[in-house]
Amino acid sequence: MESIMQKKNLAAIVASLFIVPVAAHADVTIYGFLSGGIESAKATGNGNPIKEYSSRTRVVDENSRIGFKGWEDLGGGTKAIWQVESSLRNFEQGGTNDKAQTATFGTRNTFIGIDNADFGKVLLGQNDSAYKVFTGSSNTALATDVFVNTTADNFGANSVNSRGELRMANSIHWFSPNWAGFTLGGSWGVDEARASGTDAKRISLGLGYNWGALNLATAWDKQYDKGVAANTTTASVNSGSNISFYSIAASYKFDFGTFIGGNYEWGSFDQIGGGQLKQDDWLIALGQDFGAASVKLSYGELGRLKNVGAGINGDDFKAKQWTLGGYYNLSKSTQLVAYYTKITNNAKQNANFANNPIYDTNLGTKDAALSAGNDPQAFGVGMKVSF
């Protein structure tokens, strides 16, 4: 009898080991998507066959990710919140991209924080800057980045548009609740390295307004103790220099499914050694829904580099990008996509795709790069499954 009781107690203990963790983590949400495609891509045009990416077929990952998030009610309208989001990009080649970078845990928005109904959210960790959240690719309501998370995405630091956006490491963020259609946000990225006595912190602010189908936004971002080499926008740490970006954006979607939107951004870059360069960019986006399908078109330009030195042609730093394509929703969680996109770079510019960029030199190493004057282009079809 004692042996039977011992077995029953042991079985109860073993069962409790499985029950308790499930109860303790019942609020955890697992989310994400897998998205991939096949495309024909090339980057040619600078007149040097040795430094060109000849036309070829490639299988691409379209910014896949997996995330875990949860919350705990602290009372009084306040919750403790957390999130861990990881990139699944490059699954098509074993997790290593064309710059020899491998996927690691927590590479995307990953934070702990507080969410209060009256005050808003405070996040600590790694998260998209307020600049990116309000006028950049993270603003899904604004939706002017019409092919976000695909090769045709044209928003990013090395792309044609929204060059001031980024995901901030070592940062703290505040995002307000909705006050009569208005929202505010701020981000502060701290500099833990303090190289050569500098403080290369980064501050970002955003303001948004939503009224039904109308979305308006503006944002500002400043990098302290960062400057650029003479007559370039290549940044490095430099005491007393600053890089600033400003942007405004708007979009509207009509009841009959027509979408129109646009962004305008301008940046100022302190040159190491004196002087300040300026460069702007703009984008127009259009779309039309047809039931489960939608067609989208965008055109963006990166303007001339202003205030360059004698003998330098600012027009050589210009670029433009056309994107045309569409989506078809097979279900609420499965979507097909097709697109064609082309970036035309002038002689000294090397703007590239935000996702799946093309590199024509040192491919497969950390030094992989696109040569100035080459024109990346891609035609692709793919599928996305969300969970």
PDB file of all heavy atoms in Angstrom, residues 82-103:
ATOM      1  N   TRP A  82       6.626  43.139 -21.863  1.00  0.00           N
ATOM      2  CA  TRP A  82       7.925  42.687 -22.350  1.00  0.00           C
ATOM      3  C   TRP A  82       7.777  42.096 -23.743  1.00  0.00           C
ATOM      4  O   TRP A  82       6.672  41.697 -24.150  1.00  0.00           O
ATOM      5  CB  TRP A  82       8.536  41.654 -21.402  1.00  0.00           C
ATOM      6  CG  TRP A  82       7.719  40.383 -21.282  1.00  0.00           C
ATOM      7  CD1 TRP A  82       6.716  40.136 -20.389  1.00  0.00           C
ATOM      8  CD2 TRP A  82       7.817  39.216 -22.106  1.00  0.00           C
ATOM      9  NE1 TRP A  82       6.185  38.883 -20.601  1.00  0.00           N
ATOM     10  CE2 TRP A  82       6.848  38.280 -21.648  1.00  0.00           C
ATOM     11  CE3 TRP A  82       8.635  38.864 -23.174  1.00  0.00           C
ATOM     12  CZ2 TRP A  82       6.687  37.038 -22.215  1.00  0.00           C
ATOM     13  CZ3 TRP A  82       8.464  37.605 -23.754  1.00  0.00           C
ATOM     14  CH2 TRP A  82       7.496  36.709 -23.265  1.00  0.00           C
ATOM     15  N   GLN A  83       8.881  42.055 -24.455  1.00  0.00           N
ATOM     16  CA  GLN A  83       8.882  41.489 -25.808  1.00  0.00           C
ATOM     17  C   GLN A  83      10.295  41.042 -26.182  1.00  0.00           C
ATOM     18  O   GLN A  83      11.271  41.719 -25.871  1.00  0.00           O
ATOM     19  CB  GLN A  83       8.396  42.529 -26.819  1.00  0.00           C
ATOM     20  CG  GLN A  83       8.398  42.044 -28.272  1.00  0.00           C
ATOM     21  CD  GLN A  83       7.790  43.065 -29.205  1.00  0.00           C
ATOM     22  OE1 GLN A  83       6.601  43.372 -29.126  1.00  0.00           O
ATOM     23  NE2 GLN A  83       8.596  43.608 -30.104  1.00  0.00           N
ATOM     24  N   VAL A  84      10.368  39.898 -26.841  1.00  0.00           N
ATOM     25  CA  VAL A  84      11.621  39.412 -27.423  1.00  0.00           C
ATOM     26  C   VAL A  84      11.320  39.038 -28.872  1.00  0.00           C
ATOM     27  O   VAL A  84      10.525  38.136 -29.122  1.00  0.00           O
ATOM     28  CB  VAL A  84      12.181  38.186 -26.679  1.00  0.00           C
ATOM     29  CG1 VAL A  84      13.465  37.709 -27.350  1.00  0.00           C
ATOM     30  CG2 VAL A  84      12.432  38.508 -25.218  1.00  0.00           C
ATOM     31  N   GLU A  85      11.912  39.754 -29.809  1.00  0.00           N
ATOM     32  CA  GLU A  85      11.640  39.511 -31.226  1.00  0.00           C
ATOM     33  C   GLU A  85      12.954  39.237 -31.956  1.00  0.00           C
ATOM     34  O   GLU A  85      13.922  39.981 -31.818  1.00  0.00           O
ATOM     35  CB  GLU A  85      10.935  40.702 -31.855  1.00  0.00           C
ATOM     36  CG  GLU A  85      10.446  40.439 -33.271  1.00  0.00           C
ATOM     37  CD  GLU A  85       9.578  41.567 -33.796  1.00  0.00           C
ATOM     38  OE1 GLU A  85       8.454  41.741 -33.268  1.00  0.00           O
ATOM     39  OE2 GLU A  85      10.017  42.260 -34.727  1.00  0.00           O
ATOM     40  N   SER A  86      12.967  38.156 -32.708  1.00  0.00           N
ATOM     41  CA  SER A  86      14.189  37.711 -33.384  1.00  0.00           C
ATOM     42  C   SER A  86      13.977  37.615 -34.876  1.00  0.00           C
ATOM     43  O   SER A  86      12.896  37.252 -35.355  1.00  0.00           O
ATOM     44  CB  SER A  86      14.625  36.350 -32.842  1.00  0.00           C
ATOM     45  OG  SER A  86      14.827  36.392 -31.449  1.00  0.00           O
ATOM     46  N   SER A  87      15.028  37.940 -35.608  1.00  0.00           N
ATOM     47  CA  SER A  87      14.985  37.842 -37.061  1.00  0.00           C
ATOM     48  C   SER A  87      15.142  36.388 -37.497  1.00  0.00           C
ATOM     49  O   SER A  87      15.969  35.651 -36.962  1.00  0.00           O
ATOM     50  CB  SER A  87      16.102  38.685 -37.686  1.00  0.00           C
ATOM     51  OG  SER A  87      16.145  38.498 -39.076  1.00  0.00           O
ATOM     52  N   LEU A  88      14.340  35.983 -38.465  1.00  0.00           N
ATOM     53  CA  LEU A  88      14.509  34.685 -39.126  1.00  0.00           C
ATOM     54  C   LEU A  88      14.998  34.885 -40.547  1.00  0.00           C
ATOM     55  O   LEU A  88      14.897  33.997 -41.384  1.00  0.00           O
ATOM     56  CB  LEU A  88      13.181  33.919 -39.138  1.00  0.00           C
ATOM     57  CG  LEU A  88      12.622  33.530 -37.775  1.00  0.00           C
ATOM     58  CD1 LEU A  88      11.278  32.825 -37.932  1.00  0.00           C
ATOM     59  CD2 LEU A  88      13.593  32.644 -37.022  1.00  0.00           C
ATOM     60  N   ARG A  89      15.523  36.075 -40.819  1.00  0.00           N
ATOM     61  CA  ARG A  89      16.004  36.379 -42.164  1.00  0.00           C
ATOM     62  C   ARG A  89      17.109  35.434 -42.576  1.00  0.00           C
ATOM     63  O   ARG A  89      17.826  34.881 -41.750  1.00  0.00           O
ATOM     64  CB  ARG A  89      16.503  37.819 -42.231  1.00  0.00           C
ATOM     65  CG  ARG A  89      15.411  38.859 -42.054  1.00  0.00           C
ATOM     66  CD  ARG A  89      15.965  40.242 -42.225  1.00  0.00           C
ATOM     67  NE  ARG A  89      16.518  40.433 -43.559  1.00  0.00           N
ATOM     68  CZ  ARG A  89      17.087  41.564 -43.956  1.00  0.00           C
ATOM     69  NH1 ARG A  89      17.193  42.564 -43.126  1.00  0.00           N
ATOM     70  NH2 ARG A  89      17.554  41.681 -45.176  1.00  0.00           N
ATOM     71  N   ASN A  90      17.221  35.262 -43.867  1.00  0.00           N
ATOM     72  CA  ASN A  90      18.279  34.443 -44.458  1.00  0.00           C
ATOM     73  C   ASN A  90      18.083  32.951 -44.211  1.00  0.00           C
ATOM     74  O   ASN A  90      19.035  32.185 -44.266  1.00  0.00           O
ATOM     75  CB  ASN A  90      19.660  34.889 -43.944  1.00  0.00           C
ATOM     76  CG  ASN A  90      19.827  36.385 -43.968  1.00  0.00           C
ATOM     77  OD1 ASN A  90      19.588  37.014 -44.981  1.00  0.00           O
ATOM     78  ND2 ASN A  90      20.186  36.969 -42.838  1.00  0.00           N
ATOM     79  N   PHE A  91      16.848  32.530 -43.911  1.00  0.00           N
ATOM     80  CA  PHE A  91      16.637  31.095 -43.747  1.00  0.00           C
ATOM     81  C   PHE A  91      16.942  30.345 -45.036  1.00  0.00           C
ATOM     82  O   PHE A  91      17.214  29.147 -45.023  1.00  0.00           O
ATOM     83  CB  PHE A  91      15.200  30.805 -43.290  1.00  0.00           C
ATOM     84  CG  PHE A  91      14.130  31.069 -44.322  1.00  0.00           C
ATOM     85  CD1 PHE A  91      13.859  30.153 -45.309  1.00  0.00           C
ATOM     86  CD2 PHE A  91      13.387  32.240 -44.286  1.00  0.00           C
ATOM     87  CE1 PHE A  91      12.866  30.395 -46.262  1.00  0.00           C
ATOM     88  CE2 PHE A  91      12.403  32.488 -45.226  1.00  0.00           C
ATOM     89  CZ  PHE A  91      12.143  31.564 -46.219  1.00  0.00           C
ATOM     90  N   GLU A  92      16.921  31.081 -46.167  1.00  0.00           N
ATOM     91  CA  GLU A  92      17.150  30.430 -47.454  1.00  0.00           C
ATOM     92  C   GLU A  92      18.605  30.002 -47.635  1.00  0.00           C
ATOM     93  O   GLU A  92      18.915  29.213 -48.515  1.00  0.00           O
ATOM     94  CB  GLU A  92      16.711  31.343 -48.605  1.00  0.00           C
ATOM     95  CG  GLU A  92      17.716  32.412 -49.034  1.00  0.00           C
ATOM     96  CD  GLU A  92      17.752  33.617 -48.116  1.00  0.00           C
ATOM     97  OE1 GLU A  92      17.005  33.622 -47.122  1.00  0.00           O
ATOM     98  OE2 GLU A  92      18.525  34.544 -48.380  1.00  0.00           O
ATOM     99  N   GLN A  93      19.506  30.539 -46.801  1.00  0.00           N
ATOM    100  CA  GLN A  93      20.899  30.108 -46.914  1.00  0.00           C
ATOM    101  C   GLN A  93      21.511  29.835 -45.538  1.00  0.00           C
ATOM    102  O   GLN A  93      22.622  30.237 -45.225  1.00  0.00           O
ATOM    103  CB  GLN A  93      21.740  31.113 -47.686  1.00  0.00           C
ATOM    104  CG  GLN A  93      21.674  32.554 -47.211  1.00  0.00           C
ATOM    105  CD  GLN A  93      22.422  33.483 -48.167  1.00  0.00           C
ATOM    106  OE1 GLN A  93      22.550  33.202 -49.355  1.00  0.00           O
ATOM    107  NE2 GLN A  93      22.939  34.582 -47.636  1.00  0.00           N
ATOM    108  N   GLY A  94      20.716  29.158 -44.724  1.00  0.00           N
ATOM    109  CA  GLY A  94      21.214  28.661 -43.449  1.00  0.00           C
ATOM    110  C   GLY A  94      21.436  29.703 -42.377  1.00  0.00           C
ATOM    111  O   GLY A  94      22.146  29.454 -41.401  1.00  0.00           O
ATOM    112  N   GLY A  95      20.852  30.883 -42.525  1.00  0.00           N
ATOM    113  CA  GLY A  95      20.947  31.893 -41.482  1.00  0.00           C
ATOM    114  C   GLY A  95      22.087  32.862 -41.620  1.00  0.00           C
ATOM    115  O   GLY A  95      22.285  33.715 -40.754  1.00  0.00           O
ATOM    116  N   THR A  96      22.870  32.792 -42.686  1.00  0.00           N
ATOM    117  CA  THR A  96      23.987  33.703 -42.896  1.00  0.00           C
ATOM    118  C   THR A  96      23.732  34.521 -44.154  1.00  0.00           C
ATOM    119  O   THR A  96      23.471  33.964 -45.217  1.00  0.00           O
ATOM    120  CB  THR A  96      25.318  32.939 -43.046  1.00  0.00           C
ATOM    121  OG1 THR A  96      25.535  32.162 -41.865  1.00  0.00           O
ATOM    122  CG2 THR A  96      26.478  33.907 -43.219  1.00  0.00           C
ATOM    123  N   ASN A  97      23.832  35.855 -44.044  1.00  0.00           N
ATOM    124  CA  ASN A  97      23.516  36.685 -45.195  1.00  0.00           C
ATOM    125  C   ASN A  97      24.748  36.978 -46.040  1.00  0.00           C
ATOM    126  O   ASN A  97      25.837  36.440 -45.805  1.00  0.00           O
ATOM    127  CB  ASN A  97      22.834  37.987 -44.745  1.00  0.00           C
ATOM    128  CG  ASN A  97      23.751  38.905 -43.949  1.00  0.00           C
ATOM    129  OD1 ASN A  97      24.970  38.733 -43.897  1.00  0.00           O
ATOM    130  ND2 ASN A  97      23.152  39.900 -43.315  1.00  0.00           N
ATOM    131  N   ASP A  98      24.601  37.849 -47.028  1.00  0.00           N
ATOM    132  CA  ASP A  98      25.685  38.121 -47.980  1.00  0.00           C
ATOM    133  C   ASP A  98      26.828  38.938 -47.390  1.00  0.00           C
ATOM    134  O   ASP A  98      27.830  39.178 -48.059  1.00  0.00           O
ATOM    135  CB  ASP A  98      25.130  38.836 -49.223  1.00  0.00           C
ATOM    136  CG  ASP A  98      24.272  37.919 -50.080  1.00  0.00           C
ATOM    137  OD1 ASP A  98      24.422  36.689 -49.946  1.00  0.00           O
ATOM    138  OD2 ASP A  98      23.452  38.432 -50.861  1.00  0.00           O
ATOM    139  N   LYS A  99      26.668  39.390 -46.124  1.00  0.00           N
ATOM    140  CA  LYS A  99      27.761  40.077 -45.441  1.00  0.00           C
ATOM    141  C   LYS A  99      28.342  39.210 -44.319  1.00  0.00           C
ATOM    142  O   LYS A  99      28.991  39.705 -43.400  1.00  0.00           O
ATOM    143  CB  LYS A  99      27.308  41.418 -44.860  1.00  0.00           C
ATOM    144  CG  LYS A  99      26.911  42.451 -45.903  1.00  0.00           C
ATOM    145  CD  LYS A  99      26.909  43.864 -45.360  1.00  0.00           C
ATOM    146  CE  LYS A  99      28.325  44.406 -45.290  1.00  0.00           C
ATOM    147  NZ  LYS A  99      28.335  45.888 -45.057  1.00  0.00           N
ATOM    148  N   ALA A 100      28.060  37.902 -44.387  1.00  0.00           N
ATOM    149  CA  ALA A 100      28.559  36.931 -43.408  1.00  0.00           C
ATOM    150  C   ALA A 100      27.994  37.168 -42.012  1.00  0.00           C
ATOM    151  O   ALA A 100      28.585  36.760 -41.011  1.00  0.00           O
ATOM    152  CB  ALA A 100      30.087  36.932 -43.367  1.00  0.00           C
ATOM    153  N   GLN A 101      26.838  37.814 -41.920  1.00  0.00           N
ATOM    154  CA  GLN A 101      26.181  38.036 -40.647  1.00  0.00           C
ATOM    155  C   GLN A 101      25.187  36.906 -40.398  1.00  0.00           C
ATOM    156  O   GLN A 101      24.467  36.495 -41.309  1.00  0.00           O
ATOM    157  CB  GLN A 101      25.443  39.374 -40.648  1.00  0.00           C
ATOM    158  CG  GLN A 101      26.350  40.581 -40.830  1.00  0.00           C
ATOM    159  CD  GLN A 101      25.584  41.848 -41.147  1.00  0.00           C
ATOM    160  OE1 GLN A 101      24.552  41.809 -41.819  1.00  0.00           O
ATOM    161  NE2 GLN A 101      26.093  42.978 -40.696  1.00  0.00           N
ATOM    162  N   THR A 102      25.139  36.405 -39.167  1.00  0.00           N
ATOM    163  CA  THR A 102      24.261  35.293 -38.841  1.00  0.00           C
ATOM    164  C   THR A 102      23.115  35.763 -37.953  1.00  0.00           C
ATOM    165  O   THR A 102      23.265  36.716 -37.181  1.00  0.00           O
ATOM    166  CB  THR A 102      25.034  34.173 -38.123  1.00  0.00           C
ATOM    167  OG1 THR A 102      25.664  34.714 -36.952  1.00  0.00           O
ATOM    168  CG2 THR A 102      26.110  33.589 -39.039  1.00  0.00           C
ATOM    169  N   ALA A 103      21.983  35.095 -38.077  1.00  0.00           N
ATOM    170  CA  ALA A 103      20.817  35.426 -37.268  1.00  0.00           C
ATOM    171  C   ALA A 103      21.084  35.046 -35.815  1.00  0.00           C
ATOM    172  O   ALA A 103      21.608  33.977 -35.524  1.00  0.00           O
ATOM    173  CB  ALA A 103      19.597  34.678 -37.800  1.00  0.00           C
TER     174      ALA A 103
END
